[in-house]
Amino acid sequence: MKIKQVLSALERFAPLPLQESWDNAGLQLGLTEAEVSGALLCLDVNEAIIDEAIRKGCNLIVSHHPLLFRGLKQITDANYVQRCVIKAIKHDIAIVSMHTNMDNALDGVNFKIAERLGMNHLAFLAPSSSEKAETSGSGVIGHLPQSMQSEDFIQLLKARFQVACVQCNALLERPITKVAICGGAGDFLLDNALAQGADAFITGEMHYHQYFGYDQQIQICVIGHYQSEQYTAEIFRDIIAKDCPDVPTYIAETNTNPILYI
């Protein structure tokens, strides 16, 4: 099985045209004609992730966040991105990133978050304006298996996403049933959530001023960028297992979250 076959499987699930205009998803570096020895699946790429790939005999890394986001004018040891490029090339490791195309795909990142909460009746929060509106869009909205009080809902989030704390606005004084989701930085969809009658909105990070003005309208729950997207590697694993079953896959053990809760 060649790297290009794994890349094709990932892109069939989350086509590159679904990515946002500012993004840089897809093949980051490496030779796709090489045979796959193993695939390490992760959220971010840093030197520790490449070291883990080397230890596990993987010559392919599949990440959510792109390693190469802005153009490189030199490749030295000046920063971790350049050092990663050097180390990956030295060890013949290809790197592929599925970012906003995976965010915007059916059964992508936001559907995985909803799955962790046992939600049903799922739909895109902001469907694509193209002819593929039913199969692509931003965010997800759906229903919890049963209504919950805000305190219990927040405790559920902490347990399911292993978060130390949840940043919230004032606790909602009515039960939460309908929930909107946008993993990562999702405050641009808060008004969409309100317009569709969501009782709660879950995202990974949000600007300070966005918390104002929504008390008793919607329960805002910000769980951390890394925490909201940490299960994305499970999507990669399932795609590869289905379409490239002979490829060994490993969900990264390295925690790449740069934010500490002390």
Side-chain angles (χ1 to χ4, degrees), residues 28-46:
Q28 303 283 289
L29 60 90
L31 302 177
T32 62
E33 288 290 340
E35 296 287 330
V36 186
S37 59
L40 184 67
L41 317 174
C42 58
L43 192 65
D44 311 286
V45 179
N46 59 18

Side-chain angles (χ1 to χ4, degrees), residues 200-256:
F201 177 66
I202 304 168
T203 190
E205 60 178 282
M206 211 166 80
H207 290 87
Y208 172 77
H209 292 286
Q210 284 288 90
Y211 288 86
F212 287 96
Y214 295 98
D215 290 355
Q216 300 312 316
Q217 294 185 57
I218 192 168
Q219 183 69 69
I220 295 170
C221 299
V222 179
I223 64 175
H225 197 124
Y226 178 92
Q227 290 88 341
S228 70
E229 298 179 331
Q230 64 185 297
Y231 300 112
T232 303
E234 295 179 1
I235 306 174
F236 302 151
R237 178 197 61 197
D238 293 345
I239 295 168
I240 297 171
K242 177 178 179 291
D243 291 353
C244 309
D246 294 333
V247 174
T249 58
Y250 307 88
I251 291 180
E253 298 174 54
T254 303
N255 185 328
T256 58

Side-chain angles (χ1 to χ4, degrees), residues 37-40 52-60 91 93 248 250:
S37 59
L40 184 67
E52 184 176 344
I54 295 167
R55 288 196 307 272
K56 291 179 174 173
C58 298
N59 65 348
L60 173 63
H91 291 275
I93 295 173
Y250 307 88

Side-chain angles (χ1 to χ4, degrees), residues 158 163-167 222-224 261:
K158 291 176 71 173
V163 297
C165 62
V166 178
Q167 292 181 309
V222 179
I223 64 175
Y261 294 84

Side-chain angles (χ1 to χ4, degrees), residues 168-182:
C168 305
N169 59 342
L171 295 184
L172 200 66
E173 295 174 1
R174 68 173 189 270
I176 292 172
T177 302
K178 195 173 186 180
V179 177
I181 296 168
C182 183

Side-chain angles (χ1 to χ4, degrees), residues 105-205:
L106 182 66
D107 295 327
V109 175
N110 296 303
F111 288 84
K112 174 59 72 171
I113 297 170
E115 177 188 302
R116 299 292 299 187
L117 295 171
M119 290 170 55
N120 50 51
H121 303 299
L122 302 178
F124 286 107
L125 180 57
S128 169
S129 58
S130 72
E131 69 278 2
K132 297 182 179 180
E134 293 183 359
T135 59
S136 65
S138 299
V140 159
I141 191 165
H143 292 81
L144 295 172
Q146 58 187 26
S147 297
M148 305 180 71
Q149 296 301 316
S150 56
E151 296 94 333
D152 296 329
F153 178 67
I154 291 163
Q155 291 304 316
L156 177 67
L157 289 177
K158 291 176 71 173
R160 295 289 170 86
F161 294 92
Q162 305 173 55
V163 297
C165 62
V166 178
Q167 292 181 309
C168 305
N169 59 342
L171 295 184
L172 200 66
E173 295 174 1
R174 68 173 189 270
I176 292 172
T177 302
K178 195 173 186 180
V179 177
I181 296 168
C182 183
D187 58 10
F188 68 100
L189 286 175
L190 179 56
D191 288 337
N192 296 71
L194 265 176
Q196 294 199 37
D199 302 306
F201 177 66
I202 304 168
T203 190
E205 60 178 282

Side-chain angles (χ1 to χ4, degrees), residues 6-19 23-28 41-45 61-67 95-105 108-109 229 232-233 235-236 239-240:
V6 177
L7 179 59
S8 294
L10 292 165
E11 291 185 3
R12 282 195 299 273
F13 185 96
L16 290 182
L18 295 184
Q19 72 179 305
D23 201 4
N24 188 40
L27 181 66
Q28 303 283 289
L41 317 174
C42 58
L43 192 65
D44 311 286
V45 179
I61 293 172
V62 181
S63 71
H64 182 46
H65 297 138
L67 173 66
I95 299 176
V96 170
S97 300
M98 298 283 108
H99 191 212
T100 53
N101 54 320
M102 189 61 71
D103 289 330
N104 295 335
V109 175
E229 298 179 331
T232 303
I235 306 174
F236 302 151
I239 295 168
I240 297 171

